[in-house]
Amino acid sequence: MAADVIDSRSIRGAPSRTAIALVTLALAVGSFAIGTGEFVIMGLLPEVADTFGVTTPGAGHVISAYALGVVVGAPVIAVLAAKMARRTLLLLMMAIFAAGNISSALAPTFESFAALRFITGLPHGAYFGVAALVAASMVPVHCRVRAVGQVMLGLTIATLVGTPIATFLGQLLNWRAAFMMVGGVGLVTMLLIALFLPKDKVDEGASIARELGALRRIQVWLTLGIAAVGFGGMFSIFSYVATTTTQIAGLGTSMVPVVLALFGIGMNVGNIVGSRLGDLSIKGTIGGMMVFNVFVMTLFSLTAANPVMLCLCVFLIGCGFAACPAVQTRLMDVAADAQTLAAASNHSAFNIANALGAWLGGLVISWGFTAASTGYVGAVLSAFGLIVFGISVALERNARTP
């Protein structure tokens, strides 16, 4: 049973509610740091470009460098650290992240800055994956999705609070100060993990070969496909939402932060509600939210010219994040005894979704369609995600049929 696998490397003894809350807080602060560090660069690209004497689009390559680090680092670290205690691995991942951000703030050249962003992205997926496993191991089976969602709450809060604060700090002082701040939060996370997360024992059967076994499971690949394709729709819209706001809805540039804030609020609401729904039915939450996304993203394209409907749809699209904790938990279930690699790879899949959604949205716009058409792109991607999910469920059902 999947729950037995989760508990096999869990913290010894039944932790109290206070202990669980403190560990969750420590892990969520790390999620907050990573979320802030990932997105803050988007608001500081002009300042970075001026410092290094490159164009703003050229400076945007550092975003790709970080994303590449996430995609590469998650599976590689998860496999190489198969025989490492989870507490030790979390501390190591956050140490790399903190050092990467502090070093980024001190980078003397654009090339070194890009290289450091790649390095900083390496621990991203492994941290989230292991943090989710630790959180789920401390609570009863029927509360696992909620525990995973509480860790991810740090990420969603980062989009609403952390990134704007870091961006403001970077614009007020210098972009380097923003990365120093993120590095500082990383160091705080290390302290909290060291204080509140008890030492754990490595499962005696843990090995690189066992972790690689996840790659032989079709359900792992299908669940990663749900994340890589199904969530691409959200990014296809979010990447061009500023253009939609000003050019389609006719709102001033001053309203763009408001619309972005609505998206962030939606992500937080979705994370909280989706975590509770996931504990009732993981598959029902994933399938239901994919259907929800198809409807809302289509509505976005049809009504984007109306400012009120634009704001409502952006909020609801953010709520689509509700499926994320359920997808993360399903990966932990279908991976059996190779959970670290599967859980970490989920965030590689999300970065693929980010790249895929932004690319397809931009492609449609380059063909002459309006920015509002990104909603149709998102609806199609969500529909494909729903199809992949349907295949996953059908195969699972057939496997159980005598």
Side-chain angles (χ1 to χ4, degrees):
M1 184 176 176
D4 295 332
V5 176
I6 290 171
D7 291 339
S8 66
R9 286 180 60 180
S10 63
I11 299 167
R12 289 174 294 176
S16 65
R17 289 187 177 182
T18 300
I20 292 174
L22 291 174
V23 171
T24 302
L25 172 64
L27 299 176
V29 171
S31 300
F32 176 83
I34 291 177
T36 302
E38 180 180 15
F39 296 119
V40 68
I41 184 63
M42 298 176 185
L44 297 174
L45 280 181
E47 288 80 0
V48 171
D50 289 342
T51 298
F52 294 119
V54 298
T55 63
T56 298
H61 291 316
V62 300
I63 298 176
S64 301
Y66 183 93
L68 180 61
V70 178
V71 173
V72 172
V76 171
I77 292 174
V79 170
L80 294 180
K83 295 185 72 67
M84 185 178 294
R86 287 175 176 166
R87 179 178 183 271
T88 302
L89 181 55
L90 286 169
L91 287 170
L92 177 60
M93 293 301 94
M94 195 47 60
I96 295 173
F97 178 79
N101 278 286
I102 293 172
S103 298
S104 294
L106 302 173
T109 65
F110 180 72
E111 290 74 18
S112 63
F113 181 61
L116 286 166
R117 295 316 296 159
F118 170 79
I119 293 171
T120 306
L122 291 174
H124 179 124
Y127 177 86
F128 274 110
V130 175
L133 289 170
V134 170
S137 73
M138 296 188 301
V139 299
V141 175
H142 65 276
C143 296
R144 291 179 304 144
V145 183
R146 203 175 311 173
V148 172
Q150 288 170 347
V151 172
M152 289 188 174
L153 192 61
L155 174 63
T156 56
I157 291 177
T159 64
L160 187 62
V161 178
T163 299
I165 290 177
T167 301
F168 174 76
L169 180 65
Q171 293 173 341
L172 180 66
L173 301 176
N174 186 287
W175 63 266
R176 298 180 187 274
F179 286 103
M180 277 291 187
M181 172 193 139
V182 174
V185 179
L187 293 176
V188 170
T189 301
M190 291 182 64
L191 176 62
L192 293 176
I193 291 175
L195 287 175
F196 300 137
L197 183 58
K199 294 181 179 180
D200 59 315
K201 296 178 65 176
V202 179
D203 187 352
E204 293 180 0
S207 67
I208 292 177
R210 191 175 80 174
E211 288 300 329
L212 288 173
L215 302 180
R216 296 194 298 268
R217 301 178 184 275
I218 185 62
Q219 287 292 352
V220 169
W221 286 106
L222 288 172
T223 306
L224 289 173
I226 295 170
V229 179
F231 285 92
M234 181 174 69
F235 292 109
S236 70
I237 295 170
F238 183 67
S239 299
Y240 305 97
V241 70
T243 303
T244 306
T245 299
T246 56
Q247 295 185 6
I248 306 302
L251 297 173
T253 55
S254 61
M255 279 298 295
V256 172
V258 176
V259 174
L260 294 177
L262 287 171
F263 181 83
I265 294 171
M267 286 185 68
N268 280 276
V269 172
N271 182 55
I272 295 171
V273 175
S275 296
R276 294 182 177 276
L277 292 175
D279 278 328
L280 297 176
S281 173
I282 291 177
K283 288 185 284 190
T285 301
I286 296 173
M289 289 312 303
M290 288 296 162
V291 173
F292 172 83
N293 287 341
V294 171
F295 172 76
V296 171
M297 291 175 183
T298 301
L299 185 64
F300 172 87
S301 284
L302 293 173
T303 63
N306 183 304
V308 174
M309 288 304 298
L310 172 73
C311 292
L312 176 62
C313 286
V314 167
F315 167 77
L316 293 175
I317 290 167
C319 289
F321 191 83
C324 187
V327 170
Q328 180 78 67
T329 306
R330 179 164 174 77
L331 262 177
M332 291 153 52
D333 288 345
V334 300
D337 58 357
Q339 292 186 324
T340 304
L341 175 59
S345 296
N346 188 39
H347 295 273
S348 294
F350 271 108
N351 273 269
I352 292 173
N354 192 345
L356 179 65
W359 174 66
L360 289 176
L363 187 63
V364 168
I365 292 174
S366 70
W367 287 343
F369 294 94
T370 68
S373 63
T374 55
Y376 293 129
V377 175
V380 171
L381 287 172
S382 295
F384 272 109
L386 183 61
I387 292 172
V388 175
F389 172 70
I391 294 173
S392 173
V393 173
L395 289 176
E396 188 175 63
R397 189 174 298 151
N398 290 337
R400 292 176 179 173
T401 302

